[in-house]
Amino acid sequence: MGEVLSLFTKPENDLEYSYLLINAFKKASAFNISSQVMKLSDDYYVHDLKVVKSYWSNLAQKKESSPIELIQREASLTYGEDKLYIFCHHPFEAYLLAGHLIQKKSFGFYFSQNSRVENFYGNLSLDHWFDSCRYLDELFNKENILVSERKANKKHYNQMEKMFQGLGLSKISDFKSIHAVDLQRRFSKYVGMLWDWTYPNISSECHEENLDLFQYDRDVALHGFVWKSLKIESAPTVKKDLDYPLSHWDHIKEELINSFDKLLRFKQVLSPNRLVLVDWRLTLFDLEQCSTLIRFKHPLCLLQDQKKGYVSLLSQFQFAFDSLQGELNQHYQDYDYFDVAHFCGWSIEVKETLSPSSLNNELFSNLEEMVIDQDIEAFQNRIKGSINRYSVLRIDIPSLDYKDLKEPGEAIVPVVTESLRPFFIFESPISIEESQITERRFIERTSSDWWVRWDSRELFRDYYMGLVHNELLYLYKDHLNRWYKHGLFS
Amino acid sequence: MRSELLNNGSLIKGGAEDLKFQNAYLDRFFRGINLQGTLSEWGAPAGQMGRLIPCLVVKAFASKCLWVSSYEKSKIYPPYWHHLGVDMSKVYFLSEEKPLKDLRFALREAKFKVIVIDIDKYVSASDMNFLARLCSKNNLSILLLRKYFLSSKNGNPFSRVRLNCSYSLKTNALSINLIKGLRTKRTTIQLQEVLNG
């Protein structure tokens, strides 16, 4: 049985699109929408919205607007309203759409999930699809991307064209029903990837997505598409050479504060710019270097953090330091003279920044202090893990009765049930002998949507609260009288 | 004694009011026990339903709450909270292996009104001191859940309130044992009475 136990952690005010393609020449402020921008051609730029999702979602909540609206406003302000903007789930999907819309001299905002857009996307010709694939090949050739995967591409394209002609397929939607795995088997892994990129939503359904509130797995979202982000021009870098090697955080912390102060001299990190990714490259006593990337879950304003004594920066640097030192200490265990790692210097390089205009930057809000302090994002930047929020569904089958909130205004429906649920749930039910259960109390009987499912009996269960080895467990008996433990009353 | 005189015989600190549980049994038990702006310690071993009352305390606070858990292998089941009527939009969950080490910086500036630390590790006296000071400085309510039952023999000078909670399957009743607070007392409440008031 497919147990749905992934955490549902999307915030209510969610940004449902992953990328924004803009058909315009690059502006100086390229990172005003996202800290990660990829150049597809001279006038096609793709912005990764997922990495800045928390920023736009939180800002939208404060402004009682939607993240999409704010991004639209920001884009219009920067590039003008007479440009083409496509919100999508994959850069290639947007590129396919853009090629067609440019030919038709269309401009404005387009959304890949809009039914009208979906309709004409499906009607794009396969010739257009092959042309786009060939263009992508040229781009990847220039950047030396996926070289081995694309070895026999020309041959495969010709074979595919012949096959599609033979099958009488002419539109993209005609090959929607073909499985990527079949294409991969017949032609190559890369052709399978192209299919994934054309229909990212369908292929996402096949993968288990990471729904963490502030993090996501880009490799899963891109389905093998290699992302090459634009770099910050003359990236701010601060170097520190210590007079004597240090190994303890308390000593390193003091020197780091000096480095942060020096970083403030660069205008790229001052308001309205915010820090997203920092590379901390430490030099060990034997002059070996090790690098650790520090990503802020919510883009960080350096000046604001300075006022707070660099709490967020120091927290994240300490987590990085602890983890690095843990690894290095193991390495140095067998050394005669050192049993812990000693550092004799470092460099801090700002890798990514976000610089929204004053319109969409809470740093220019009158409520600045209040906004920064009260909100959850400041806290999020000071901790190691990610915080989660949940909503519950009206489904009477334990472990299937919760989900992520998709619609911004979606209300939480109160579930009225007499039965008590366990505090902890197990990832999957664990088989147990009935003899191990010393006491039990019946809770409820569950059924399933038997009119939809083919084999629904697996969800016919009798749930009990039972005592096993003096622990209160959430147990169930299936239709074959087999016992399982499913959770813990704690 | 001073607070007693100021509050007509009740041990309520600085004019703080009792939590309203919307449950006659719990309201009666917690009358005069101050959980607001203090560090309280709860004996709640796994598999004894000791987290039920802390969850109802979170509900009664009706403020932004952070629930930190150091139980790595166990997955929190949100419908449990929802079933208890807890406003899920106000509860933030965080899984942290070493919460008292890794959250030290963050907790100082945190704007939560209630923090529950569900910890299965040793808590040192200096950590206790840190939490107690945090409570008094920020008027924060911290519920520290321990993986064993608390004993009155081993006191904790840092927490004003110490309780043990457990459930008996035989009697279908929850027992709450206050070992430090207004005065030591014990009560047994039927589970349905806890859930339905």
Side-chain angles (χ1 to χ4, degrees):
Chain A
M1 191 187 66
E3 291 290 336
V4 181
L5 279 166
S6 57
L7 298 182
F8 41 85
T9 53
K10 282 186 183 175
E12 280 183 49
N13 213 347
D14 195 20
L15 178 57
E16 55 191 298
Y17 291 96
S18 308
Y19 302 94
L20 169 66
L21 182 139
I22 300 177
N23 173 227
F25 287 100
K26 189 188 152 196
K27 292 265 176 181
S29 54
F31 303 104
N32 58 339
I33 291 169
S34 172
S35 60
Q36 295 241 349
V37 182
M38 182 175 174
K39 181 183 173 183
L40 280 187
S41 72
D42 285 343
D43 55 352
Y44 282 172
Y45 287 88
V46 183
H47 295 245
D48 185 340
L49 302 179
K50 286 273 183 187
V51 284
V52 285
K53 181 179 156 182
S54 73
Y55 177 79
W56 290 106
S57 297
N58 287 321
L59 194 65
Q61 214 163 12
K62 281 166 210 155
K63 294 198 167 195
E64 292 177 353
S65 178
S66 75
I68 294 283
E69 255 177 62
L70 295 183
I71 293 170
Q72 274 180 282
R73 229 183 298 163
E74 182 76 41
S76 307
L77 199 78
T78 317
Y79 299 98
E81 287 181 357
D82 57 340
K83 298 287 186 294
L84 178 68
Y85 305 94
I86 301 170
F87 285 93
C88 56
H89 292 286
H90 197 279
F92 187 60
E93 182 193 25
Y95 183 77
L96 284 169
L97 272 171
H100 176 76
L101 291 167
I102 292 290
Q103 276 175 10
K104 292 205 158 196
K105 294 188 178 166
S106 305
F107 61 88
F109 290 90
Y110 289 84
F111 302 87
S112 68
Q113 271 189 336
N114 177 295
S115 54
R116 196 169 61 90
V117 176
E118 266 179 3
N119 197 21
F120 77 67
Y121 183 73
N123 282 318
L124 292 177
S125 69
L126 280 173
D127 291 340
H128 175 68
W129 188 80
F130 282 114
D131 288 345
S132 303
C133 293
R134 283 181 184 115
Y135 172 77
L136 206 63
D137 275 349
E138 281 174 31
L139 180 79
F140 284 176
N141 279 338
K142 273 186 214 163
E143 301 277 350
N144 276 335
I145 293 171
L146 299 171
V147 179
S148 59
E149 283 86 346
R150 296 182 298 105
K151 255 180 192 169
N153 255 7
K154 282 180 187 165
K155 192 179 96 188
H156 290 144
Y157 290 155
N158 293 336
Q159 286 174 343
M160 273 174 85
E161 274 179 314
K162 274 184 193 167
M163 187 185 91
F164 287 154
Q165 274 171 7
L167 290 167
L169 308 180
S170 59
K171 295 180 290 184
I172 287 184
S173 60
D174 289 341
F175 87 115
K176 190 177 178 179
S177 52
I178 301 174
H179 295 291
V181 188
D182 295 334
L183 285 174
Q184 192 177 319
R185 203 183 303 126
R186 175 74 181 80
F187 301 102
S188 67
K189 189 184 169 192
Y190 182 69
V191 171
M193 282 157 91
L194 283 170
W195 185 96
D196 275 341
W197 302 345
T198 311
Y199 283 108
N201 272 353
I202 297 175
S203 46
S204 289
E205 283 168 16
C206 308
H207 296 97
E208 218 173 89
E209 233 186 304
N210 180 2
L211 292 170
D212 224 332
L213 189 57
F214 290 92
Q215 293 173 326
Y216 84 109
D217 188 341
R218 169 179 287 142
D219 295 335
V220 170
L222 281 169
H223 307 287
F225 185 93
V226 179
W227 182 270
K228 285 264 178 183
S229 197
L230 290 178
K231 286 182 181 162
I232 302 175
E233 284 166 20
S234 54
T237 308
V238 169
K239 285 188 179 168
K240 177 80 189 173
D241 290 314
L242 297 168
D243 296 334
Y244 41 87
L246 297 175
S247 61
H248 291 284
W249 169 252
D250 289 339
H251 303 147
I252 284 176
K253 187 176 134 186
E254 298 304 320
E255 297 294 339
L256 261 179
I257 291 173
N258 291 337
S259 297
F260 297 155
D261 285 335
K262 279 183 191 166
L263 207 57
L264 276 168
R265 293 178 196 160
F266 293 90
K267 82 171 188 217
Q268 290 105 312
V269 297
L270 298 180
S271 305
N273 302 318
R274 289 154 167 273
L275 290 187
V276 176
L277 185 73
V278 171
D279 183 10
W280 188 22
R281 195 174 286 270
L282 288 134
T283 310
L284 291 157
F285 66 95
D286 52 5
L287 299 182
E288 263 189 55
Q289 287 203 330
C290 46
S291 164
T292 174
L293 290 173
I294 298 164
R295 181 176 288 279
F296 296 95
K297 288 152 199 153
H298 186 81
L300 180 82
C301 172
L302 200 57
L303 272 174
Q304 287 286 343
D305 203 40
Q306 187 206 24
K307 284 180 198 168
K308 298 270 176 199
Y310 296 117
V311 185
S312 303
L313 270 170
L314 285 172
S315 304
Q316 294 305 324
F317 271 74
Q318 189 181 357
F319 295 142
F321 178 78
D322 285 347
S323 139
L324 188 71
Q325 208 183 31
E327 284 170 30
L328 289 170
N329 285 354
Q330 277 185 339
H331 177 69
Y332 287 116
Q333 259 176 2
D334 304 329
Y335 278 54
D336 289 340
Y337 300 107
F338 300 101
D339 52 355
V340 290
H342 287 71
F343 302 95
C344 58
W346 58 73
S347 72
I348 300 172
E349 185 187 345
V350 176
K351 288 271 186 191
E352 286 178 28
T353 57
L354 179 71
S355 46
S357 65
S358 54
L359 184 76
N360 284 321
N361 201 328
E362 64 199 22
L363 297 175
F364 298 97
S365 161
N366 295 332
L367 302 168
E368 185 184 309
E369 283 294 329
M370 196 186 84
V371 164
I372 296 288
D373 276 352
Q374 280 187 349
D375 283 333
I376 211 78
E377 60 259 35
F379 181 74
Q380 181 67 56
N381 266 342
R382 293 165 193 168
I383 60 174
K384 207 175 188 176
S386 292
I387 40 180
N388 297 318
R389 281 176 65 212
Y390 301 94
S391 166
V392 178
L393 291 175
R394 189 192 284 273
I395 300 174
D396 292 332
I397 299 164
S399 88
L400 300 179
D401 51 357
Y402 52 104
K403 69 148 193 172
D404 51 337
L405 295 169
K406 280 185 179 149
E407 296 299 321
E410 195 177 342
I412 295 171
V413 186
V415 180
V416 182
T417 167
E418 288 301 311
S419 53
L420 188 68
R421 299 279 190 246
F423 187 88
F424 292 121
I425 194 98
F426 301 144
E427 290 216 13
S428 54
I430 303 160
S431 175
I432 187 175
E433 290 297 320
E434 192 180 357
S435 58
Q436 289 179 270
I437 308 163
T438 45
E439 279 177 54
R440 62 175 182 248
R441 187 181 286 273
F442 176 75
I443 304 176
E444 62 181 331
R445 172 165 288 180
T446 61
S447 180
S448 69
D449 44 357
W450 49 266
W451 55 95
V452 179
R453 288 166 188 259
W454 176 248
D455 183 17
S456 57
R457 285 182 304 168
E458 285 203 36
L459 294 175
F460 290 174
R461 296 168 179 181
D462 283 347
Y463 271 91
Y464 289 84
M465 186 191 283
L467 210 57
V468 178
H469 302 308
N470 216 21
E471 280 194 332
L472 270 173
L473 291 171
Y474 191 48
L475 308 165
Y476 74 83
K477 189 171 67 175
D478 70 2
H479 67 287
L480 296 171
N481 274 338
R482 290 174 305 197
W483 284 86
Y484 294 90
K485 46 184 184 179
H486 201 179
L488 184 69
F489 288 95
S490 213
Chain B
M1 285 307 286
R2 182 175 156 76
S3 53
E4 241 176 45
L5 292 171
L6 286 172
N7 294 289
N8 300 326
S10 74
L11 253 173
I12 299 167
K13 188 190 99 184
E17 286 179 12
D18 285 343
L19 280 179
K20 295 277 179 279
F21 286 90
Q22 294 172 330
N23 180 308
Y25 301 93
L26 293 176
D27 282 340
R28 200 178 310 139
F29 182 81
F30 282 95
R31 190 172 299 146
I33 299 171
N34 181 35
L35 295 171
Q36 300 191 47
T38 59
L39 171 66
S40 54
E41 199 180 7
W42 302 70
Q48 304 295 324
M49 223 193 274
R51 280 155 192 81
L52 179 61
I53 302 296
C55 284
L56 293 171
V57 171
V58 167
K59 180 188 169 188
F61 270 112
S63 307
K64 212 190 258 185
C65 167
L66 177 71
W67 188 290
V68 189
S69 174
S70 70
Y71 287 83
E72 284 167 72
K73 286 175 188 168
S74 308
K75 216 169 198 176
I76 274 169
Y77 188 51
Y80 175 82
W81 271 269
H82 193 77
H83 171 66
L84 296 176
V86 178
D87 182 354
M88 297 297 282
S89 64
K90 286 185 175 155
V91 188
Y92 292 82
F93 297 92
L94 174 65
S95 179
E96 203 75 67
E97 199 187 335
K98 297 171 193 160
L100 292 170
K101 179 178 178 283
D102 292 341
L103 294 179
R104 232 172 192 189
F105 265 134
L107 289 180
R108 279 187 198 140
E109 303 277 332
K111 295 291 167 187
F112 296 99
K113 287 275 168 215
V114 190
I115 296 175
V116 182
I117 303 172
D118 190 359
I119 192 164
D120 62 348
K121 308 224 165 35
Y122 170 73
V123 182
S124 68
S126 91
D127 287 335
M128 282 286 190
N129 183 30
F130 166 73
L131 293 176
R133 282 174 57 197
L134 201 66
C135 288
S136 60
K137 195 179 155 200
N138 299 351
N139 193 27
L140 180 71
S141 310
I142 296 181
L143 284 75
L144 185 67
L145 312 190
R146 310 304 295 267
K147 64 171 181 177
Y148 48 79
F149 285 123
L150 306 176
S151 160
S152 52
K153 284 180 191 165
N154 306 316
N156 179 356
F158 302 103
S159 65
R160 285 166 183 265
V161 181
R162 302 181 82 213
L163 301 112
N164 282 327
C165 297
S166 61
Y167 169 78
S168 161
L169 190 63
K170 204 170 269 176
T171 56
N172 193 29
L174 205 76
S175 87
I176 314 170
N177 184 7
L178 179 73
I179 54 173
K180 185 184 177 185
L182 183 65
R183 57 190 166 272
T184 55
K185 61 175 173 178
R186 176 193 285 269
T187 189
T188 305
I189 314 171
Q190 283 297 304
L191 184 63
Q192 287 312 312
E193 287 166 350
V194 176
L195 298 176
N196 305 324

